[in-house]
Amino acid sequence: MEDGPTRHDAPRAATAAPARAAGQRAGLLRALVPTVVGLLVLTGCQAGLPDLEPARTPSATAESEPAPSSTTDDATPTTTPSETPSAEPTPTEAPEPAPTPTEAPAPAPTETETTPPPAAEPPPPAEPAELERGANGDRVVALQSRLAELGYFIGAPDGDFGPGTQQAVWALQKAAGISRDGVVGPATQAALDHGVRPQAQTGSGKVIEIDLDRQLLLAVEDGRVVTVINASSGNGERFEAKGRSYRAGTPTGTFQVGRQVDANYESSLELGSMWRPKFFTGGIAVHGSGSIPPWPASHGCIRVANSAMNWIWDTWGAPPGTTVVVY
């Protein structure tokens, strides 16, 4: 019969009404939650959301007592938590801000030992502008080569400014009429550069010319000076020998080589030794000696260096009969 509710239906209707009301509210919440979440995503704000715990799903009976379970087939099914979406999405952690790059701290200044710069080596001593006896090196070689080129008697260039080089420098200075100091200074260098050499007084044959004013011996061939030799003639002073007095002079004129001794000859007047003498008048000879200063110093003979006398004998010749001109 469907005229009205039966007695058995009254309790069921009484319990069903609250359940339906709770279900309607849960459905309303389910409909509103997606809309609210969408608005929050768009606005980036969480204001207005209910204060719900993460992963907490609101129950259909959040505001009412739980409805008693119905044992009849007509009972309205209740909503299980698994069927209800979360009222609030799980909050996500905001990304950590990127670390701000910081400048590396400057290294602390360290004390360094200051090494003093190496001391500059002192410049080598400058070569003296002048050359004199005792010097050596390339400049001396150049000097010796130039003297030989001009015809002054000198040995092979060896870079040693010894007595032989000094003799040749004296001869050059005598020929140039400059100071006879044996030092190659500006005036002597100028004489070298200009090629100063004496001229012969004779024009033919092999002749020994002796220039007393300039204290030079010239080996001449047909008017050409072959070699210029430093010489020392009589000094003009008086001297005593074997009880007699003599004047240390060298006669002038034209003579010839006469007697000659190819050895070390002792003076008959006990005046010393004469190396390989070639006499041209009386006891006056051209001979070798160990002392030939740049001025007159002999007893009347013509002194030349022993090496120069050897050259006259062994290289140039000057046999007996050779003309000797003293002026």
Side-chain angles (χ1 to χ4, degrees):
M1 294 291 291
E2 297 181 359
D3 291 338
T6 62
R7 188 177 48 183
H8 296 285
D9 293 334
R12 184 171 56 188
T15 58
R20 282 196 299 271
Q24 290 173 355
R25 287 191 296 270
L28 181 59
L29 287 174
R30 283 195 300 271
L32 291 174
V33 166
T35 302
V36 172
V37 170
L39 290 174
L40 290 175
V41 170
L42 291 175
T43 60
C45 179
Q46 293 183 353
L49 286 179
D51 187 13
L52 299 179
E53 294 179 4
R56 177 78 178 270
T57 304
S59 172
T61 59
E63 297 181 0
S64 62
E65 294 295 329
S69 300
S70 175
T71 59
T72 64
D73 296 337
D74 294 334
T76 303
T78 59
T79 304
T80 63
S82 61
E83 295 175 350
T84 305
S86 173
E88 182 180 357
T90 303
T92 59
E93 295 181 358
E96 296 182 0
T100 303
T102 58
E103 295 183 358
T110 58
E111 293 184 1
T112 56
E113 295 183 1
T114 303
T115 303
E121 295 184 1
E127 292 187 2
E130 299 179 343
L131 290 175
E132 58 186 349
R133 186 168 175 172
N136 54 66
D138 293 341
R139 294 177 62 202
V140 176
V141 171
L143 167 65
Q144 293 168 332
S145 299
R146 180 59 172 164
L147 288 168
E149 180 184 3
L150 294 177
Y152 293 91
F153 180 79
I154 192 172
D158 59 4
D160 181 16
F161 197 133
T165 302
Q166 185 182 53
Q167 290 285 316
V169 170
W170 276 334
L172 170 66
Q173 291 173 334
K174 291 176 178 182
I178 58 180
S179 176
R180 305 172 185 182
D181 58 6
V183 176
V184 182
T188 303
Q189 186 62 53
L192 281 169
D193 295 341
H194 287 91
V196 172
R197 57 183 295 156
Q199 299 299 313
Q201 299 295 313
T202 61
S204 62
K206 180 177 284 188
V207 179
I208 296 175
E209 293 189 12
I210 299 171
D211 186 337
L212 296 180
D213 288 339
R214 293 188 289 186
Q215 295 288 284
L216 292 173
L217 185 150
L218 311 179
V220 180
E221 295 179 5
D222 297 328
R224 180 176 62 89
V225 176
V226 175
T227 302
V228 183
I229 301 172
N230 182 54
S232 177
S233 65
N235 59 19
E237 298 177 0
R238 304 293 300 184
F239 66 93
E240 298 290 329
K242 291 188 173 182
R244 296 183 61 180
S245 179
Y246 300 90
R247 188 180 67 88
T250 302
T252 60
T254 300
F255 311 95
Q256 291 181 337
V257 173
R259 184 168 61 100
Q260 58 184 14
V261 179
D262 189 8
N264 194 40
Y265 177 78
E266 295 297 331
S267 168
S268 59
L269 295 177
E270 300 177 351
L271 299 177
S273 299
M274 295 183 285
W275 176 247
R276 302 179 80 177
K278 287 181 177 286
F279 294 92
F280 57 88
T281 180
I284 304 298
V286 174
H287 66 84
S289 172
S291 175
I292 311 93
W295 54 79
S298 77
H299 295 100
C301 291
I302 306 300
R303 299 181 189 176
V304 296
N306 289 338
S307 57
M309 199 64 205
N310 290 338
W311 177 83
I312 292 173
W313 269 83
D314 304 331
T315 301
W316 193 57
T322 300
T323 300
V324 178
V325 176
V326 182
Y327 50 86

